[in-house]
Amino acid sequence: SSSTSSSTSSSTSSSTASPGRVPPRLYVDYLIPLPSSTTAADIDPWPGGLAQMSPPFTQIVKEILSSLIPGSTSTQIISEEDCSTLLIHETSSPSTDIACVIFPSVDDLNKLQEIDKMVGARPLILFNKQFKRPSDFGFKSKAAETSIFNAFKWGYALQEFSCRGEEVKLIFDGEKWSAVCLPDADTDEEVILVEGVCERPEYDFLTERINDVLPEPLWQRQMQKAKKDGLK
């Protein structure tokens, strides 16, 4: 997790350190380390959902902010139900203060607009947002498109999810997107799906790439492995 934190702060710093440019509005998707008590038998390492993730993630974000610029960080709950939290990192000069929101949801749109006005020319970072597209906001989609989707850009992302039953890791390093597949749980071998592209790869595209590089589904490979191991 320390290397992830380091790369996150490095990418975020490069996006926030240019004076005189448009005020940076960034998305960051951070892969939260699993609890130390997690075992291989755990179906869900986060049974408490966002409420369980929030305390350790808040501490991680505080450490990232401190690595960007010295200061003190205060927190304010935006929504207890959605576990969204505002962090204000106050530095030696108000002009270099940084604001973050962790787990912002569609229900936080009005509050996000208020925070945006309050922050002004200073950086505002949305960590692990709980929405993907303007339509997620329903009848507020137009307002969301203007105040969020047209204003923010990706600063850093490290995401893990299942695609066609395969474990996929999606990375944005501050400039380009890449995606790898982890076809064998027993090894760290990675199969490159795409690398060095400007646009975030869509789910359907990643599915097609997996079909190209791993035509046999996971269950079929596991059966073949079991048969092979059984012959020994």
Side-chain angles (χ1 to χ4, degrees), residues 101-155:
V101 178
I102 66 171
F103 302 137
S105 75
V106 295
D107 296 325
D108 298 326
L109 179 59
N110 291 342
K111 189 65 177 180
L112 290 174
Q113 291 172 328
E114 292 175 11
I115 294 171
D116 181 81
K117 291 180 181 177
M118 175 192 72
V119 171
R122 293 164 292 189
L124 173 58
I125 308 170
L126 303 185
F127 277 86
N128 292 32
K129 60 186 176 65
Q130 301 300 296
F131 48 82
K132 294 182 178 180
R133 56 191 69 85
S135 59
D136 292 344
F137 289 80
F139 68 91
K140 293 184 177 180
S141 60
K142 288 294 185 183
E145 185 171 8
T146 300
S147 59
I148 296 179
F149 292 91
N150 290 347
F152 285 75
K153 68 175 186 177
W154 283 101

Side-chain angles (χ1 to χ4, degrees), residues 41-58:
D42 290 334
I43 297 176
D44 182 4
W46 299 103
L50 297 182
Q52 183 184 357
M53 297 180 190
S54 184
F57 192 33
T58 298

